C-alpha cells in the first residue's frame, strides 16, 4: 500500500507543519506516526541510544526494538534476552506550535485534568491531544498495551516512553518478543471540535470496546452509609428508590458497596480491609436472599469487592512484597502473578454468579499492585527495587492477566465495573469504568472537583473505551440540594451511567421528583454531553446536553 507525506490544506500552518513532520496518510486518510528519529532503552539505571537500521529496526548489544506496520498503527516489538529492560523511549523531532494540550490519567482522574500550555516535566498518560486554536492533533497508543505508556512534549521533540518494568525492577523477557504497544495518531476533520476529535480518536485507540447492552443506571449506598450498611438498609433504600423508576424495559441496578463481606472495613474493632469476599458477615448473612429481594423490588443486584485483598491467615508465599504504600500488616495484598491467587478471585466471581448478582464493582487493584494512587505516579509508577513472584512479565501484562481472569470469571451474566483500574488496560475488557476519584455525600467541593472535572475531560472515552462512570450523586442532608441537583442533572443527561446514593432522610418530594426524572433520562440512549468551555476551565459550566446549551453554576 502506497503512503505519502501530506499537509492537510485546512490545517493551520503550525499544526500542519507538525503533522507533516511526524505523520503519514493512507489512501483512506487514516494517519499514523512515522518511524522515530531516535530510540533509547533503559536497563537498570542506565539509558543508552539504539542504532537504527532501515528506519524500522534499532539495536544496542542484544536489545532490539523493531517497528512494524499493524494496520493503521505502528507496532513496537522489543527483545532483550539477557539484560533486564526497564523502559523504551521513542523520539520524534519537531517544533511544537503555540498550542494547548490535554493528556489522560493512568487510572482514575483526580480533579486535575485540564488543557495545559506548559509542557516541561508533564507526563501525558496513554495519549495526548494538541490544539492550536484551529486544528487538533492526537497521538496515542492502542488500548490493551503490554507496557505503561506516556507522551512528553519537549522543546523540539515529541517523546513516547514505554514503561516495561515488572513491579519496580526491569522485566526479564528471556527469549520472548514483547509486543509493547501499537502507536496511532489522527488529526481533526473540517468543522470538528477538539472534543469530537478526542472522542473519535478514543474510538480509534480501542477497536473492540465491551459495552453494556443498555444504558446503566441505579443506586449505591456508599455516600450515605460509608460501610455501615446491612441487609435491612439495602432492602429499604432499594424499595424507596424503586418507586421512582418508570422504565421497566431497562431496570436499574442496586449496588451494595463495602461493608457486606466478612471482617468488613470501617466497623468498630475491625482488623483492616482483610475481607473474605466470598462470605457475607452477620449484618447480611444471606447475599443470595438479598439479591432475590432486590430483584423482587424491580432492580438488578450488584456488589463491591476488592480482588487482591488477602486474609490475615494467608501464607506469606501468596503475598505481594511489602513496599511503601503497601506495607501495612493489617492490609496484606495477594501477589497477582501466583495462579492460586487468580483462582481465588475467579472463585469469588463464581460465587457471585451463583448468588444471582448481575454487576460487580472491583476496586483497589492499581493501588494494591503499585502501592500508589494515580496522582502519586509523577516520577514513576511504583517504588524501585522490587518485583512480584513472576518477573518475566511487565506490570502492564500482569494487570491485563488479572483483568482478563476477572472477565472470564464474570462471564456474560455479570457486568464488571473497574474502579482504581488502569483506564487504557480496562478498555475492551470491562463494560464500565469508574473514571474519577470519589465524589462525596459530605463535601460538595469534592463532588464538584472529582465529579465535574472527571466527566468533562473523560466523556470522550464513553462508549469508546467502556461506559464511563463519573461516580455517584450523594444526596444527603450534608450537601445543599441546590448544588447537588445540578450534578444530578449533568450526570442524568450526559449519556453516561448514573448512580445515586440517597440517604432516606434527605429524600423529600423535590428530590424524589428530580430523581424520577433523572432515572427516566438515564434509562435511555442519549447523545454524549459536551463541555463547551473546557478549553478555558477545569470545571466547565457550559454544556451541550441533548442538543441544547445548559449553564451550570458550580460555585
Amino acid at each position: 500500500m502506497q503512503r505519502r507525506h501530506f499537509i492537510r490544506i485546512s490545517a493551520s500552518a503550525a499544526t500542519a507543519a507538525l503533522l507533516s513532520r511526524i505523520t503519514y496518510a493512507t489512501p483512506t486518510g487514516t494517519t499514523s506516526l512515522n518511524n522515530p528519529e531516535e530510540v533509547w532503552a533503559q536497563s537498570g539505571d542506565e539509558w543508552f541510544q539504539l542504532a537504527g537500521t532501515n528506519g524500522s529496526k534499532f539495536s544496542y548489544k542484544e536489545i532490539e526494538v523493531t517497528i512494524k506496520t499493524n494496520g493503521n498503527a505502528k507496532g513496537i516489538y522489543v527483545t532483550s534476552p539477557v539484560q533486564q529492560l526497564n523502559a523504551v523511549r521513542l523520539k520524534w523531532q519537531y517544533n511544537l506550535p503555540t498550542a494547548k494540550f490535554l493528556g489522560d490519567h493512568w487510572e482514575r482522574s483526580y480533579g486535575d485534568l485540564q488543557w495545559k500550555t506548559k509542557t516541561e516535566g508533564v507526563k501525558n498518560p496513554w495519549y495526548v491531544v494538541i490544539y492550536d486554536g484551529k486544528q487538533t492533533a492526537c497521538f496515542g497508543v492502542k488500548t490493551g498495551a503490554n507496557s505503561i505508556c506516556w507522551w512528553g512534549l519537549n522543546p523540539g521533540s515529541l517523546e513516547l516512553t514505554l514503561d516495561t518494568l515488572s513491579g519496580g525492577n526491569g522485566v526479564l523477557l528471556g527469549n520472548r518478543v514483547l509486543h509493547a504497544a501499537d502507536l496511532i495518531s489522527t488529526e481533526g476533520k473540517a468543522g470538528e471540535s477538539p472534543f469530537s476529535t478526542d472522542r473519535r480518536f478514543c474510538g480509534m485507540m480501542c477497536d473492540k470496546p465491551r459495552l453494556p447492552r443498555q444504558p446503566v443506571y441505579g443506586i449505591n449506598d456508599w455516600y450515605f452509609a460509608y460501610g455501615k450498611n446491612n441487609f435491612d438498609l439495602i432492602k429499604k433504600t432499594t424499595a424507596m428508590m424503586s418507586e421512582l423508576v418508570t422504565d421497566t424495559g431497562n431496570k436499574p441496578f442496586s449496588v451494595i458497596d463495602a461493608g457486606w463481606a466478612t471482617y468488613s472495613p470501617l466497623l468498630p474493632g475491625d482488623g483492616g480491609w482483610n475481607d473474605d469476599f466470598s462470605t457475607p458477615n452477620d449484618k447480611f448473612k444471606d447475599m443470595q436472599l438479598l439479591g432475590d429481594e432486590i430483584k423482587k423490588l424491580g432492580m438488578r443486584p450488584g456488589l463491591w469487592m476488592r480482588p487482591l485483598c488477602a486474609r490475615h491467615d494467608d501464607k506469606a508465599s501468596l503475598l505481594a512484597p511489602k513496599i511503601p504504600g503497601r506495607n501495612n500488616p493489617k492490609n496484606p495484598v495477594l501477589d497477582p502473578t501466583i495462579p492460586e491467587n487468580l483462582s481465588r478471585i475467579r472463585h469469588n466471581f463464581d460465587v457471585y454468579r451463583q448468588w444471582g448478582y448481575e454487576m460487580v464493582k472491583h476496586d483497589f487493584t492499581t493501588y494494591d499492585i503499585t502501592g500508589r494512587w494515580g496522582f502519586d505516579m509523577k516520577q514513576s509508577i511504583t517504588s524501585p527495587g522490587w518485583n512480584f513472584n513472576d518477573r518475566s512479565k511487565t506490570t502492564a501484562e500482569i494487570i491485563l492477566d488479572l483483568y482478563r481472569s476477572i472477565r472470564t470469571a464474570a462471564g456474560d451474566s455479570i457486568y464488571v465495573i473497574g474502579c482504581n483500574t488502569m483506564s487504557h488496560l480496562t478498555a475492551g475488557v470491562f463494560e464500565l469504568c469508574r473514571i474519577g476519584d470519589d465524589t462525596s455525600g459530605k463535601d460538595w467541593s469534592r463532588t464538584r472537583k472529582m465529579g465535574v472535572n472527571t466527566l468533562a475531560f473523560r466523556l470522550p472515552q464513553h462508549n469508546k473505551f467502556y461506559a464511563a462512570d463519573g461516580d455517584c450523586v450523594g444526596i444527603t442532608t450534608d450537601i445543599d440540594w441546590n448544588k447537588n441537583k445540578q450534578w444530578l442533572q449533568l450526570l442524568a443527561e450526559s449519556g453516561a451511567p448514573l448512580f445515586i446514593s440517597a440517604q432516606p432522610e434527605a429524600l423529600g418530594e423535590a428530590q424524589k421528583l428530580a430523581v424520577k426524572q433523572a432515572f427516566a433520562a438515564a434509562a435511555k440512549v442519549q447523545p454524549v454531553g459536551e463541555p463547551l468551555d473546557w478549553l478555558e476551565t477545569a470545571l466547565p459550566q457550559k454544556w451541550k446536553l441533548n442538543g441544547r446549551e445548559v449553564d451550570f453554576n458550580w460555585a
Side-chain angles (χ1 to χ4, degrees), residues 286-297:
D286 191 332
M287 293 297 285
Q288 183 170 343
L289 177 61
L290 181 54
D292 290 343
E293 292 294 327
I294 290 171
K295 291 175 184 177
K296 289 177 184 178
L297 291 167

Side-chain angles (χ1 to χ4, degrees), residues 13 40 43 62 110 113 174 184 194 216 236 243 267 295 302 310 355 393 399 443 454 507 518 530 534 538:
W40 295 71
S43 180
E62 84 288 348
Y110 290 87
L113 290 173
I184 192 168
V216 170
K236 174 185 176 181
E243 295 178 355
L267 300 174
K295 291 175 184 177
W355 289 345
K393 295 181 179 180
I399 292 171
D443 181 0
T454 289
L507 212 62
E530 178 177 352
W534 73 324

Side-chain angles (χ1 to χ4, degrees), residues 230-231 260 279-290 355:
N230 56 60
F231 186 107
W260 67 268
T279 306
N281 57 42
D282 289 341
K283 299 184 302 160
F284 284 85
K285 295 182 180 178
D286 191 332
M287 293 297 285
Q288 183 170 343
L289 177 61
L290 181 54
W355 289 345

Side-chain angles (χ1 to χ4, degrees), residues 43 61-63 79-85 171-175:
S43 180
K61 295 183 178 179
E62 84 288 348
I63 297 177
T79 58
S80 182
V82 178
Q83 297 188 63
Q84 65 170 311
L85 186 68
V171 68
L172 300 178
L173 292 176
N175 292 323

